[in-house]
Amino acid sequence: MTRRRYTDRAPLTSRSTRSYPDKSRVPSELDRDIAAMKRVWQMVRAGAIRMVGEIGRQY
């Protein structure tokens, strides 16, 4: 197996870090909470679909 080459990636030193110089661009706590809940609901939905599939597979 050949080794992967990552020549198309930018060097680590050139990657930008998250910095918010403008206060208006910082996501509010409410926005972060809403985004987190969206991820939680996606996981719950995926788990429910898998559960129904497992039940259906048994019968």
Side-chain angles (χ1 to χ4, degrees):
M1 188 157 59
T2 61
R3 289 183 58 152
R4 290 184 182 181
R5 290 190 178 179
Y6 297 104
T7 56
D8 58 339
R9 289 187 177 180
L12 275 174
T13 56
S14 70
R15 289 186 182 172
S16 63
T17 59
R18 285 188 181 178
S19 61
Y20 298 106
D22 184 14
K23 193 72 170 162
S24 66
R25 298 188 71 164
V26 177
S28 70
E29 189 173 351
L30 177 63
D31 291 334
R32 288 187 302 226
D33 287 346
I34 291 171
M37 284 304 300
K38 183 178 179 182
R39 288 191 299 270
V40 168
W41 278 112
Q42 288 173 345
M43 290 187 285
V44 168
R45 188 175 353 158
I49 291 170
R50 181 176 177 158
M51 180 187 68
V52 169
E54 290 290 330
I55 291 171
R57 187 176 61 84
Q58 292 177 3
Y59 294 104

